[in-house]
Amino acid sequence: MHDWPLLSLIIFLPLVGVGFILLIRGEGETQNRNIRNVALWTSLATFVLSTLLWTNFDSSTAAFQFEEKLPWISAFDIYYHLGVDGISVFFVLLSTLLTPICVLASWEAIQKHVREYMIAFLVLETFMVGMFCALDFILFYVFFEGVLIPMFLIIGIWGGPRRIYAAFKFFLYTLAGSVLMLLAILTIFFYADTFDIPTLMTTRLPLEMQYWLWLAFMASFAVKVPMWPVHTWLPDAHVEAPTAGSVILAGVLLKMGAYGFLRFSIPLLPEASVYFTPLIYSLSIIAIIYTSLVALAQTDMKKLIAYSSVAHMGFVTIGIFAGNTQSVEGAIVVMLSHGFVSAALFLCVGVVYDRIHSREISDYGGLVHRMPLYAFVFMVFMMASVGLPGTSGFVGEFLVLLGVFQANTWVAFLAATGIILGAAYMLWMYRRVIFGELTKDTLKRILDLSPREILVFAPLILLVFWMGIYPEPFLDVLHESVGQLVERYELARIASENLALAGH
Amino acid sequence: MYTAAIFLPLLSAILVGFFGRWLGDRGSQLVACGLMFVAAVLAVPILNDVALEGHGQVIRIFSWIESGALDIAWSLKFDTLTAVMVLVVNVVSLVVHVYSVGYMHGDPSVPRFMAYLSLFTFFMLMLVSANDLVQLYFGWEGVGLASYLLIGFWYDKPSANAAAIKAFLVNRVGDFGFGLGIFGIFFLFDSVLLDAIFASAPDKAGTTLHFLGLDLDALTVLCLLLFVGAMGKSAQLGLHTWLPDAMEGPTPVSALIHAATMVTAGVFMVARLSPVFEYAPIALNVVAIVGATTAFFAATVGLVQNDIKRVIAYSTCSQLGYMFFAAGVSAYAASIFHLMTHAFFKALLFLAAGSVIHAFSGEQDMRKMGGVWKKVPLTYTLMWIGSLALAGVPFFAGYYSKDMILESAYAAHTLPGQYAFWLGIGAAALTAFYSWRLILMTFHGKPRADADVMAHVHESPKIMTLPLIVLALGAIFAGYIGYEFFVGHGMEAFWRDAILVLPSHSAIQDAHHVPAWVKQLPIAMGVIGIALAYLFYLFAPKLPGLLAGRVDGLYRFLLNKWYFDELYDRLFVNPAKWLAHGLWKQGDGALIDGVGPDGVAAATRDLARRASRLQSGYVYHYAFAMLIGVAGLITWFFIGEMG
């Protein structure tokens, strides 16, 4: 069992599914049904396989586990090197969980080019999982950039009316950052002569160099997070993307930036990270307050949730750079929680969009009369989004703010205003969509959740409460890896303080 | 037994909430009332065990959040304070559950209502039995959720929805302070466990905390932050605006949540944290001043309101003010004593008001009532009992607790204490006045409702009046029975270590030895208030209009509740809306997008259009870009190899 290349299996199993889908022949609906089934079962199998990572995870060590290392391009010392630690393992699980949910959510909504659509999602899964497992810089870069291709296609082909604009905006923003990251990776290679991430984690890079490298990484990660002011691609991409596209975008792709900060910026460039922390603080606080206010003014449900995502990710970046145990663990929990809560909120929008084909808040009202079950589900995720204790949203936000308060009270104070604004825009939207009298003719015959939709939401609801009430199994896995990260960061902080003192 | 008393309401909420459709209305009511009954009965031996026998304990359920030094477990802490609260919460909740069977008769969503009530009860119990600040916060936000759901229970009414959101948001503002307080406590004490905090609070007295760029006395700052939370939940001046609007919810909800239990959570919190507040004298002074001001302010507004429920709501606000200034002079025991008696008589008043509203076919405006006291004698009597208790007329429950509070304030011999005492005396007269104004307008004089409504006026069914009688018994006897235990000679044995009072803060002990006039003044004020009300509303009914015309400015100032809502709209709500729209259109739209991606995109699209003439389909654009990347990569390598 331990000899199995488990990570490779998880990464490439979706591609096996792609192979089968390509082989499927048949007519119209039968063919589409077969394609959907293959996609679903492949992604489910991948998910089941990935749970082995969690059950077999050794939470007593911060080292990388399930490692695989094969030479890839030996001329440049590039390896096919995989492994997960406490920080990355849940992101693998998040990706493998959301993929079958996406497939199921697109069951009826997608009727054209079903084959290509499902292939795009399975390929996307391969890239996502690969990215979180990669321990070689070039391998990471390939997966990191690779993710963009299927996503770009999903928005551009199956998106809404302004999909081309949105796809290009998405593409431009993210590519611009990536080029700088590539330069940074190469610079590191020329200095340290290796692409191996675990090796680099113990290498100390010169301070001058760290600053430039940090900014180059930041250019790439900040776009992905997204941080203010490079966030404007997100609302457009979400609005135009099909429901499942939004789910992956919010659920996993937004985490790539923050993961980058955790995996590279802080361990590789700790001194620079300390140096630039005030920048991150300011941008994140602006993001939290600014985008929460903007969310208040939205008339489109998806845009509103998209803006709320930016605000939530603001908590994540603050937590990461505050750099103590609670804040970093909190940041990871926020990422995971946001991963399935915002995904679920987009699915909630998708449910009514499939029925009425509108995302405008003003086209709804009084849905609770016809859709009580939907109202309940929506309520659960809304409450998780505003961080009600007992839901997953609370644990993360609470830990982040608790940790940040130890580092800087102003930051905690300002960021905490986000919890007031967050409640304001969510409750207000919920009221306009769900409550009130049902007067609109278009809504008079709307149907409540179908069994398929219940199946989509059930695991997510379970997770919201599990993580909210008993987050121990999650936190337990994080402790060692986060502990090591925090320790290293703390040393860098002390070092730079000494440096500052010596300078005086 | 302990665990059951807390978790049975949760069980009820789950059963009724998810299976209400199968249980039906009757089944749901039976399940919810039955489980609540067991929980309420269990509360009695618990109080006996914990308070009288001294078997306080902490029951650990399972761990919740562990991260670094932070270690929180779900657990139930039972000491006298908790046991008292559990008894009050469960008994009032049971009464309200039963009353609701009659009151909500015919409503299309009875199971949902019962489930919400039970859910609320569970959160409230988690709040009072918390062993650490975070679980306290859990219950705190949980009751907020339940309150939000219940205020907006009739979701077709836009006003109910607005009130629900307002309640949630104003409470969030309070919770913002509460949250920061918790973070600060953890920063200072390295723990959020109550016992750990209490143990090291004396050592931390006088230390400074660097907060928002200022070096401040740590415990003072933290207590004030926590008190902001208490102000939100307990509707104290400044954060009180949600409470009157919350009356949009069904009347049983107002009785349970917005009178007897949830709104007293702030008072409970201050009492619970007495071992910390005791070392923050400035914070205590602030508590006393805010409490006293609220007591007076709310009573003045209560004078002129015309909605029967709003009058009682302002009365609640005012009584909470009393409880706070009692806590502010270190008379926590008196404060909890009043909390307990108030729970009975205020729930009684609300439910009796519900019975009146029921009789008048849903009318809540007192100007359209009157002349029915002979038709609803039982409700009328109960309203009298509740009002007598509220006004502090001797030997009713409120007399014991309210007088104790006023005497403690006087005996504290501090400036805030004196301030609280005199405002409290003033508010006592106002309280008596508005209570009898309510009774006289509602039951006496000529009938002002139309004939149709008058023909339907009837006494409520037994299922509604029986619970009222239970509460009435509490409103009569709770003060007399509780006095010795709560604030009398038995208090040390009763409270044990649930409440800490420094020896130098001996307001309660001294309260037993105040001059006679201090004890008589509140009673005199009560009598004057009642007499004036009779004069104004029965003997010379033209007087109120005349007076209102004479001091029109003052009248409208009071009628509009000191213009708090208008002020907040102008200060916060409107600027936020304006800013939101501006940032979106100007910030995101014109500035960031205009300069950034749209400009660049326009150029790129030109390029792409040219490229797409060669190949169609977007994959190729991307492949093209990737190629450039790969080319760049290879170039770099070769440069590296050669160099």
Side-chain angles (χ1 to χ4, degrees), chain A residues 197-264:
Chain A
I197 293 168
T199 315
L200 285 168
M201 281 178 174
T202 52
T203 313
R204 201 183 166 281
L205 298 166
L207 204 56
E208 270 309 297
M209 195 174 173
Q210 278 197 25
Y211 292 151
W212 289 106
L213 290 174
W214 193 92
L215 288 172
F217 276 122
M218 163 88 175
S220 175
F221 299 147
V223 170
K224 283 271 179 6
V225 168
M227 296 181 72
W228 186 88
V230 286
H231 65 281
T232 60
W233 63 271
L234 186 70
D236 283 308
H238 270 307
V239 167
E240 298 309 325
T243 302
S246 291
V247 168
I248 290 290
L249 198 54
V252 184
L253 263 59
L254 294 195
K255 311 300 172 301
M256 286 163 54
Y259 175 74
F261 282 130
L262 275 172
R263 179 59 82 225
F264 305 113

Side-chain angles (χ1 to χ4, degrees), chain A residues 312 337 341 379-388 391-394 397 464:
Chain A
H312 278 116
S337 162
V341 170
M379 172 73 76
V380 169
F381 293 117
M382 172 182 77
M383 285 301 161
S385 172
V386 305
L388 195 82
T391 64
S392 57
F394 171 73
E397 261 178 34
V464 163

Side-chain angles (χ1 to χ4, degrees), chain A residues 426-444:
Chain A
M426 286 309 287
L427 291 181
W428 199 34
M429 171 180 78
Y430 188 83
R431 172 204 170 171
R432 286 179 289 168
V433 172
I434 302 288
F435 289 148
E437 280 178 73
L438 194 137
T439 51
K440 299 195 173 61
D441 286 330
T442 42
L443 304 178
K444 290 250 160 83

Side-chain angles (χ1 to χ4, degrees), chain A residues 149 164-165 169 171 190 229 231-232 290 293 298 307 326 329 369 386 406 409-410 419 436 468-469 471 479, chain B residues 64 66-67 74 141 145 155-156 168 172 176 183-184 187 212 580 583-584 587-588 592-593 598 618 622 636:
Chain A
I149 306 173
I164 306 294
Y165 170 72
K169 204 167 172 182
F171 176 78
F190 291 131
H231 65 281
T232 60
Y290 177 109
L293 282 170
Q298 296 308 309
Y307 275 110
Q326 287 90 18
E329 288 188 358
H369 290 272
V386 305
Q406 328 293 316
T409 51
W410 265 113
I419 65 168
I469 295 169
H479 292 324
Chain B
W64 186 14
E66 259 181 53
S67 174
W74 294 103
E141 288 260 297
L145 168 73
Y155 43 62
D156 280 350
F168 198 93
R172 270 268 155 142
F176 167 74
F183 306 145
F187 183 57
L212 303 186
L583 286 179
W584 177 32
D588 263 23
I592 299 179
D593 273 358
D598 283 0
Y618 303 106
Y622 200 90
W636 267 92

Side-chain angles (χ1 to χ4, degrees), chain B residues 322-585:
Chain B
Y322 276 94
M323 297 177 210
F324 272 114
F325 76 66
V329 296
S330 295
Y332 308 99
S335 150
I336 296 295
F337 186 34
H338 194 54
L339 187 161
M340 192 264 293
T341 58
H342 175 260
F344 285 108
F345 63 71
K346 192 51 68 68
L348 172 65
L349 282 172
F350 259 119
L351 293 183
S355 179
V356 171
I357 296 167
H358 204 69
F360 277 103
S361 316
E363 183 58 60
Q364 300 197 8
D365 191 333
M366 296 192 296
R367 285 168 300 187
K368 296 183 186 152
M369 295 178 177
V372 294
W373 68 276
K374 280 184 189 148
K375 288 191 175 181
V376 287
L378 186 57
T379 305
Y380 178 64
T381 317
L382 292 166
M383 198 64 118
W384 260 89
I385 295 175
S387 299
L388 287 169
L390 171 62
V393 171
F395 314 118
F396 285 88
Y399 161 74
Y400 294 96
S401 53
K402 193 176 183 175
D403 277 19
M404 193 64 217
I405 286 179
L406 287 168
E407 286 155 22
S408 304
Y410 179 84
H413 292 301
T414 58
L415 207 58
Q418 289 300 310
Y419 174 80
F421 175 71
W422 287 108
L423 281 189
I425 291 288
L430 299 176
T431 306
F433 180 82
Y434 67 64
S435 299
W436 265 265
R437 172 178 176 265
L438 185 151
I439 289 182
L440 296 171
M441 278 182 85
T442 310
F443 296 101
H444 291 266
K446 283 200 207 98
R448 294 179 296 271
D450 51 44
D452 230 22
V453 173
M454 283 307 288
H456 278 102
V457 170
H458 58 281
E459 193 60 86
S460 298
K462 279 214 176 58
I463 191 90
M464 285 167 69
T465 50
L466 272 180
L468 287 178
I469 292 168
V470 173
L471 289 175
L473 291 176
I476 298 171
F477 298 114
Y480 175 73
I481 298 171
Y483 187 81
E484 277 304 304
F485 295 114
F486 279 80
V487 291
H489 298 298
M491 69 179 281
E492 306 229 318
F494 180 73
W495 289 109
R496 299 173 199 278
D497 51 2
I499 286 176
L500 178 101
V501 180
L502 292 184
S504 55
H505 296 170
S506 54
I508 287 203
Q509 280 77 20
D510 300 346
H512 295 290
H513 314 292
V514 291
W517 66 268
V518 174
K519 287 181 187 286
Q520 288 149 5
L521 192 58
I523 304 170
M525 296 310 274
V527 173
I528 292 172
I530 296 171
L532 274 178
Y534 266 96
L535 178 69
F536 270 56
Y537 291 94
L538 203 64
F539 303 129
K542 290 219 174 84
L543 256 181
L546 219 64
L547 191 66
R550 244 352 216 313
V551 285
D552 189 47
L554 180 67
Y555 175 69
R556 266 190 293 157
F557 181 66
L558 294 182
L559 190 66
N560 288 305
K561 306 157 287 194
W562 294 28
Y563 293 105
F564 265 101
D565 280 328
E566 288 74 7
L567 184 73
Y568 285 173
D569 273 352
R570 249 177 237 173
L571 273 183
F572 304 113
V573 181
N574 294 337
K577 281 185 183 163
W578 175 79
L579 206 62
H581 204 262
L583 286 179
W584 177 32
K585 291 292 183 196

